[in-house]
Amino acid sequence: MNDKIIGRNTVAEAIKAGREIDKLLIKKGEIEGSLLPIIKKAKSAGIPVIECDRQKLDQLAEGGNHQGIVAYTAVHSYASVSDILSAAEKKGHEPFIIILDKITDPHNLGSILRTANCVGADGVIIPKRNSVNLNSVVAKTSAGAIEYTPVAKVTNIAKTIDELKKKGMWIAGAEAGGTNMYETDLSGSVALLIGSEGEGISRLVREKCDFIVEIPMYGDINSLNASVAAAVLMYEVSRQRDVKILTKN
């Protein structure tokens, strides 16, 4: 799977065709010639444009003629948040969504997608900036889940949370110091928010949460890898939803 394209004409045509592009890397320095309209179109389409050294571009192009530009493309198309909510409605159950706040390790995103599919989550939401995208490493680590679990990429996580709340969803942030997950009702319409590997949930996004939940720790180490923590919490949500259904029946 190729998750990058190089060269001005190739990149320009990809943008024109509406291909899913995660970000553009362009050479540092004065921008001239045909690069100008490409960058303008990219920014109009909401594609992040990042300057970097020519040496980095040479490395990414692997000997190809990049002409000062490399585009990272998604190996799978993105869904919209509306798509995810509609899918849950069609299945006849309350939505269960995973929101990732600046997860940067592709192995973590791939693992989270794999678990999200196994627990029957309706979809995953990631931010456009400061986050890993749907690249080939994510696809491989997901073990095929990328084909079945939709991923929505949004400009503003905090704003998206507000929109989900308006639709009746509860936002549960995963962080130490919160309420024990076994003592928290996660059985309804819920979005589980997982913070970044190093800094956790950002302050503004944390303030949007309806409640904070934590995984009980019984050993000498008091933290888990982001994808492992997400898996534990996702299965607790799944367990509670199953119990709720059994109780009704």
Side-chain angles (χ1 to χ4, degrees), residues 100 103 105-116 141 194-197 215 224-235:
L100 304 180
I103 293 290
D105 186 334
H107 296 92
N108 278 335
L109 178 54
S111 294
I112 289 169
L113 279 174
R114 186 174 185 175
T115 306
T141 309
I194 307 295
S196 68
E197 295 91 347
I215 301 169
L224 292 169
N225 169 276
S227 62
V228 174
V232 172
L233 286 161
M234 278 189 266
Y235 266 97

Side-chain angles (χ1 to χ4, degrees), residues 99-194:
I99 303 174
L100 304 180
D101 185 20
K102 301 177 182 177
I103 293 290
T104 57
D105 186 334
H107 296 92
N108 278 335
L109 178 54
S111 294
I112 289 169
L113 279 174
R114 186 174 185 175
T115 306
N117 183 263
C118 288
V119 302
D122 297 297
V124 175
I125 297 174
I126 63 173
K128 280 189 176 181
R129 294 184 177 274
N130 302 313
S131 171
V132 65
N133 297 293
L134 296 183
N135 61 34
S136 56
V137 177
V138 172
K140 184 177 181 180
T141 309
S142 79
I146 195 172
E147 302 295 335
Y148 304 104
T149 299
V151 178
K153 188 167 62 169
V154 301
T155 302
N156 189 310
I157 288 289
K159 183 178 178 181
T160 299
I161 288 175
D162 286 337
E163 292 169 355
L164 292 174
K165 283 184 171 184
K166 289 177 183 177
K167 296 182 182 298
M169 294 198 71
W170 294 89
I171 313 299
E175 196 169 74
T179 306
N180 189 311
M181 67 179 186
Y182 298 129
E183 300 171 0
T184 307
D185 184 358
L186 301 169
S187 64
S189 178
V190 65
L192 183 61
L193 176 65
I194 307 295

Side-chain angles (χ1 to χ4, degrees), residues 6 27 34 36 56 92 150 177 209 212 222 231 234 244:
I6 66 171
K27 66 175 184 178
S34 58
L36 289 170
K56 175 67 174 178
C209 294
I212 302 297
N222 63 0
M234 278 189 266
K244 185 176 181 179

Side-chain angles (χ1 to χ4, degrees), residues 67-113:
Q67 299 174 303
I69 187 167
V70 173
Y72 276 89
T73 63
V75 298
H76 196 279
S77 59
Y78 292 97
S80 68
V81 175
S82 296
D83 291 335
I84 293 173
L85 294 172
S86 295
E89 185 177 358
K90 288 178 181 178
K91 293 174 185 175
H93 63 226
E94 294 178 297
F96 173 23
I97 296 174
I98 315 302
I99 303 174
L100 304 180
D101 185 20
K102 301 177 182 177
I103 293 290
T104 57
D105 186 334
H107 296 92
N108 278 335
L109 178 54
S111 294
I112 289 169
L113 279 174

Side-chain angles (χ1 to χ4, degrees), residues 41-56:
K41 288 179 181 177
K43 290 182 176 179
S44 295
I47 301 169
V49 178
I50 303 166
E51 291 188 0
C52 66
D53 295 328
R54 177 170 287 275
Q55 183 179 1
K56 175 67 174 178

